[in-house]
């Protein structure tokens, strides 16, 4: 059953934000004298909001200039750390783009959850007030239900304690944890999280895991493989010393998918340049405890080399090109051999002071089962 | 049917009286002048961005709802802001997806699209940009950005349809448009499900 999650929005006090955002800026004259005199650190959470002065004009300058830039709402963070980040300064002009950039800069520190900018009139010009809300600190990270994965490893994927809470990082961590379970064969693992508000502008994060059963592979079918042996193809699958991706072991998708690329390369190195290895089809048993894996393969015919040409900025003769390639017309095409040939030609070109960007072009003649190879060389 | 381009329709259907000036800078007023109106993963959308995008629609509302019907105007503007913010969130998600897939739109592609639109309206490109400015309050930069966004979305949708091509080639144009919109909705739903999105309007 899907468990209820506490809304991140309410956990982070979004209602307070909305109230803040819709409240008209407090005029300077209405502020308590104590708040006006405050510099450096602002008030602690729950206390009367204090304002820090980032920059102030002593007397009105010419034109419509900024008279003062103030900061309010920070408690853990020092105004002396945040104020220098602001491009809006007393004595400068008030500019939309600069203000937007200031908000992005402050948000980009990763320490603040919200920033509201308001302005009002002072005798010395416009006052710009940045009201910030710090991200809450993570007081406690509780991880429940983790057995198959090392507890410290699981915690390392999530959000650290005593650091500003990062909702995006938590979601990414939850995704990583799910992927970790998936790659360990726990295909039905369910990972949920909850964020609860705590006193002193802190939050408790609870991650609840229901691992479910570990599914094991009961069969791997390579449909359509007749020219290559099943043993040779399966040898390309990384089993992590027999722990995964073999019959009787859990399925690890990322390494199995990589093996499908190796299988394609296996065929291309044996002239079967039209070979197609389809993505694995995974069929779980009814109770989810076992998996059958099917890979469909179209091997295609063997292609032999036809014409071999070095084109463009090649620094030698056609014979030298063929010698460097080391293959001749009639040989079975091999992608790996072609790559080696390109490396040899590049070394030759470097020696000759010629172009080293080499792009292979292949032209297939399906009727004759011939592949013409052009090595285009650019300076 | 595929979502019509509101901005293009504003530009090309010249029903809006010419505004006397472009949007007033937010810094010209007192009170709250800037704030975060949405968080999209690690990105934020600002009030000023929303207001800039809303300007053509606000002009249209002003042109169609009389000043005497103030409550209706306010309600229409609020509704427009909600819908526009949703669209901007979708665009941020699309832009992030485009970045992941290395899909880009070049200035030359935007130039070509402008030329096509202008040709379709029997206008020169400078005249089209002037119409956009006069009728929709859009500067050249904003109009090009809008075209760029639409081209990017088109490219991404083409990829999706390419990956799910079943029967697409045999569809009529109307059916294709319907299919594209359906695919877009599904895709946006997937992007939203995987993202951290918080609206603060």
């Amino acid at each position: 059953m899907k468990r209820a999650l506490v809304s991140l929005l309410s956990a982070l006090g979004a209602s307070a934000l909305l109230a803040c955002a819709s409240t008209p800026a407090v005029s300077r004259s209405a502020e308590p004298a104590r708040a006006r005199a405050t510099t450096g650190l602002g008030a602690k959470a729950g206390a009367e909001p204090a304002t820090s002065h980032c920059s102030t004009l002593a007397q009105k300058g010419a034109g419509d200039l900024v008279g003062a830039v103030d900061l309010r709402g920070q408690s853990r963070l020092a105004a002396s750390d945040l104020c220098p980040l602001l491009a809006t300064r007393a004595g400068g002009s008030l500019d939309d783009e600069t203000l937007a950039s200031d908000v992005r800069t402050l948000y980009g520190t990763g320490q603040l959850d919200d920033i509201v900018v308001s302005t009002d009139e002072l005798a010395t010009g416009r006052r710009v007030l940045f009201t910030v809300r710090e991200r809450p600190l993570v007081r406690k990270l509780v991880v429940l239900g983790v057995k198959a994965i090392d507890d410290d490893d699981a915690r390392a994927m999530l959000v650290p304690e005593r650091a500003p809470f990062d909702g995006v990082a938590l979601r990414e961590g939850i995704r990583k944890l799910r992927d970790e379970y998936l790659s360990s064969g726990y295909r039905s693992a369910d990972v949920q999280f909850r964020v609860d508000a705590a006193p002193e502008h802190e939050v408790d994060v609870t991650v609840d895991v229901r691992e479910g059963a570990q599914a094991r592979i009961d069969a791997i079918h390579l449909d359509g493989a007749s020219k290559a042996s099943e043993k040779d193809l399966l040898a390309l699958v990384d089993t992590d010393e027999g722990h995964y991706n073999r019959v009787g072991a859990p399925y690890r998708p990322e390494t199995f998918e990589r093996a499908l690329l190796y299988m394609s390369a296996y065929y291309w190195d044996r002239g079967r340049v039209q070979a197609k290895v389809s993505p694995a089809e995974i069929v779980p048993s009814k109770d989810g405890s076992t998996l059958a894996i099917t890979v469909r393969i179209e091997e295609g015919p063997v292609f032999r080399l036809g014409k071999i040409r070095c084109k463009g900025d090649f620094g030698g003769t056609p014979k030298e090109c063929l010698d460097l390639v080391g293959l001749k017309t009639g040989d079975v095409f091999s992608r790996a051999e072609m790559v080696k040939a390109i490396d040899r030609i590049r070394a030759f070109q470097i020696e000759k002071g010629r172009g080293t960007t080499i792009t292979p072009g292949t032209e297939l003649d399906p009727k004759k089962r011939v592949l013409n190879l052009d090595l285009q060389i650019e300076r | 049917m595929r979502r019509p381009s509101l901005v293009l329709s504003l530009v090309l259907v010249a029903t809006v009286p010419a505004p006397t000036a472009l949007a007033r800078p937010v810094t010209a007023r007192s009170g709250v002048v800037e704030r975060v109106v949405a968080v999209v993963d690690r990105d934020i959308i600002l009030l000023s961005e929303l207001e800039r995008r809303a300007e053509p629609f606000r002009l249209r509302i002003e042109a169609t709802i009389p000043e005497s019907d103030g409550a209706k105007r306010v309600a229409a503007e609020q509704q427009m802001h909600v819908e526009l913010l949703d669209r901007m969130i979708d665009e941020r998600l699309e832009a992030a997806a485009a970045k992941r897939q290395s899909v880009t739109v070049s200035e030359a592609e935007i130039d070509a699209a402008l030329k096509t639109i202008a040709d379709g309206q029997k206008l020169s490109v400078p005249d089209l940009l002037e119409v956009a400015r006069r009728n929709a309050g859009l500067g050249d930069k904003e109009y090009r950005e809008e075209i760029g966004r639409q081209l990017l979305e088109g490219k991404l949708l083409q990829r999706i349809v390419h990956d799910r091509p079943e029967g697409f080639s045999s569809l009529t144009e109307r059916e294709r448009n319907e299919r594209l919109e359906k695919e877009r909705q599904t895709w946006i739903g997937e992007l939203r499900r995987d993202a951290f999105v918080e609206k603060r309007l």
Side-chain angles (χ1 to χ4, degrees):
Chain A
M1 195 177 79
K2 196 173 177 180
R3 282 163 282 169
L5 298 177
V6 171
S7 154
L8 270 178
L9 199 62
S10 58
L12 298 177
S15 55
L17 161 72
L18 293 174
C20 173
S22 59
T23 304
V26 179
S27 76
R28 192 170 190 81
S29 57
E31 286 177 43
R34 189 172 57 78
R36 284 206 301 272
T38 305
T39 54
L41 279 176
K44 289 288 172 197
E48 191 173 281
T51 302
S52 303
H53 306 314
C54 291
S55 55
T56 311
L57 272 187
Q59 56 185 9
K60 186 168 173 54
D64 186 21
L65 296 181
V66 175
V69 176
D70 292 345
L71 187 66
R72 178 185 287 170
Q74 76 284 1
S75 59
R76 291 193 312 270
L77 301 169
S80 56
D81 288 335
L82 296 176
C83 288
L85 302 176
L86 301 174
T88 302
R89 300 254 161 86
S93 55
L94 191 56
D95 173 68
D96 285 3
E97 285 186 17
T98 310
L99 273 188
S101 166
D102 283 341
V103 173
R104 289 192 176 281
T105 302
L106 289 175
Y107 192 84
T109 62
Q111 301 284 338
L112 301 172
D113 180 54
D114 197 38
I115 301 115
V116 176
V117 188
S118 54
T119 67
D120 59 353
E121 290 295 334
L122 297 177
T124 54
R126 298 277 292 280
R127 178 177 79 142
V128 181
L129 174 64
F130 289 83
T131 303
V132 302
R133 188 179 65 194
E134 293 176 348
R135 288 177 190 263
L137 276 189
V138 177
R139 184 178 70 166
K140 224 170 24 174
L141 169 66
V142 180
V143 182
L144 304 169
V146 170
K147 294 172 202 143
I149 295 174
D150 184 85
D151 190 58
D152 287 343
D153 289 348
R155 294 177 71 86
M157 290 179 211
L158 302 164
V159 287
E161 290 181 346
R162 307 316 304 164
F165 174 76
D166 183 340
V168 178
L170 179 62
R171 284 177 71 93
E172 284 169 359
I174 296 290
R175 202 174 298 142
K176 270 189 207 163
L177 194 53
R178 282 197 186 112
D179 288 347
E180 183 62 29
Y181 273 106
L182 193 63
S183 69
S184 305
Y186 290 86
R187 295 174 58 83
S188 58
D190 180 31
V191 184
Q192 300 285 347
F193 67 93
R194 203 173 65 228
V195 182
D196 297 311
E200 299 291 326
H201 197 46
E202 296 186 332
V203 291
D204 293 336
V205 178
T206 306
V207 175
D208 197 353
V209 179
R210 295 192 179 175
E211 293 182 334
Q214 189 183 37
R216 290 177 181 274
I217 300 168
D218 70 349
I220 301 176
H221 305 290
L222 300 178
D223 283 3
S226 60
K227 306 297 180 191
S229 80
E230 198 164 281
K231 190 181 163 196
D232 285 350
L233 292 175
L234 288 179
L236 300 170
V237 181
D238 179 5
T239 64
D240 193 10
E241 297 179 347
H243 290 103
Y244 294 97
N245 294 339
R246 62 169 181 79
V247 172
Y251 169 61
R252 180 169 274 184
E254 66 273 18
T255 47
F256 199 89
E257 282 159 17
R258 204 178 308 134
L260 302 183
L261 297 177
Y262 297 153
M263 287 182 197
S264 293
Y266 176 94
Y267 282 107
W268 297 338
D269 288 346
R270 287 159 180 78
R272 297 182 189 279
V273 294
Q274 292 181 316
K276 285 181 189 162
V277 179
S278 300
E281 293 169 24
I282 314 294
V283 181
S285 61
K286 274 188 179 171
D287 66 357
S289 63
T290 61
L291 303 170
I293 301 175
T294 302
V295 177
R296 296 187 198 287
I297 297 173
E298 290 174 38
E299 294 180 320
V302 172
F303 280 76
R304 291 177 180 276
L305 278 166
K307 292 174 190 162
I308 304 166
R309 288 171 293 204
C310 294
K311 291 183 163 181
D313 189 42
F314 182 58
T317 63
K319 184 175 180 310
E320 281 174 310
C321 169
L322 286 176
D323 289 346
L324 286 164
V325 170
L327 301 167
K328 60 182 186 301
T329 300
D331 284 352
V332 171
F333 173 78
S334 162
R335 186 187 152 280
E337 291 303 321
M338 181 186 72
V339 171
K340 286 182 200 165
I342 288 173
D343 286 344
R344 284 192 292 270
I345 294 172
R346 188 172 289 116
F348 174 84
Q349 292 286 98
I350 289 169
E351 206 171 280
K352 296 276 180 185
R354 306 290 288 264
T356 54
T357 303
I358 304 170
T359 310
T362 56
E363 181 194 44
L364 293 183
D365 183 338
K367 278 187 186 167
K368 293 181 183 169
R369 294 185 181 174
V370 161
L371 181 150
N372 296 317
L373 178 63
D374 286 335
L375 297 166
Q376 184 68 38
I377 302 166
E378 308 289 342
R379 182 173 281 276
Chain B
M1 205 177 85
R2 183 144 190 265
R3 185 182 72 184
S5 160
L6 288 177
V7 172
L8 282 181
S9 65
L10 276 171
V11 170
L12 300 173
V13 182
T15 56
V16 182
T20 51
L22 292 179
R24 191 177 168 222
V26 291
T27 44
R29 64 192 185 211
S30 291
V32 173
V33 293
E34 188 63 287
R35 66 184 179 92
V36 178
V37 291
V39 179
V40 184
D41 280 334
R42 299 210 180 279
D43 198 2
I44 50 176
I45 298 175
L46 300 177
L47 177 66
S48 57
E49 294 174 290
L50 178 66
E51 290 191 337
R52 197 163 52 241
R53 288 287 299 279
E55 186 62 9
F57 306 107
R58 189 183 65 75
L59 291 173
R60 174 178 263 189
I61 288 168
E62 282 187 1
T64 50
I65 302 175
E67 201 173 353
S68 55
D69 205 347
K72 198 174 168 188
R73 250 193 198 188
V74 170
E77 281 194 15
Q78 281 177 346
Q79 179 64 22
M80 178 267 288
H81 278 128
V82 168
E83 289 174 10
L84 188 57
L85 183 61
D86 266 328
R87 186 190 293 188
M88 290 174 77
I89 289 168
D90 290 348
E91 286 167 0
R92 296 294 169 101
L93 294 170
E94 288 174 358
K99 198 173 171 188
R100 286 194 297 273
Q101 297 176 34
S102 303
V103 177
T104 56
V105 172
S106 67
E107 290 298 308
E109 287 172 301
I110 295 173
D111 288 340
L114 282 174
K115 176 92 173 48
T116 304
I117 297 166
D119 287 350
Q121 298 300 310
K122 295 186 170 45
L123 294 169
S124 67
V125 170
D127 285 347
L128 175 73
L129 294 174
E130 179 53 34
V131 171
R133 176 182 292 273
R134 199 174 58 238
N135 291 346
L138 282 173
D140 294 0
K141 183 169 170 271
E142 286 80 15
Y143 190 50
R144 289 180 69 86
E145 282 172 358
E146 174 63 25
I147 298 292
R149 277 190 288 272
Q150 290 179 26
L151 288 174
L152 188 68
E153 186 182 85
K155 280 190 178 186
L156 289 164
L157 277 173
Q158 272 179 0
R159 284 195 164 203
I160 291 169
V161 173
H162 185 263
D163 291 343
R164 308 172 190 172
E166 303 84 18
F168 192 76
S169 57
S170 61
L171 300 178
T172 63
E173 192 178 344
R174 184 181 168 179
E175 289 168 335
R176 281 185 187 198
N177 286 339
E178 285 172 354
R179 168 82 178 275
L180 275 174
E181 179 54 17
K182 197 175 158 198
E183 293 286 2
R184 195 188 78 85
Q185 295 288 353
T186 306
W187 177 57
I188 289 289
E190 287 166 4
L191 292 177
R192 282 210 176 218
R193 201 170 48 242
D194 291 340
F196 177 83
V197 175
E198 190 178 292
K199 288 186 268 185
R200 299 175 178 179
L201 259 186

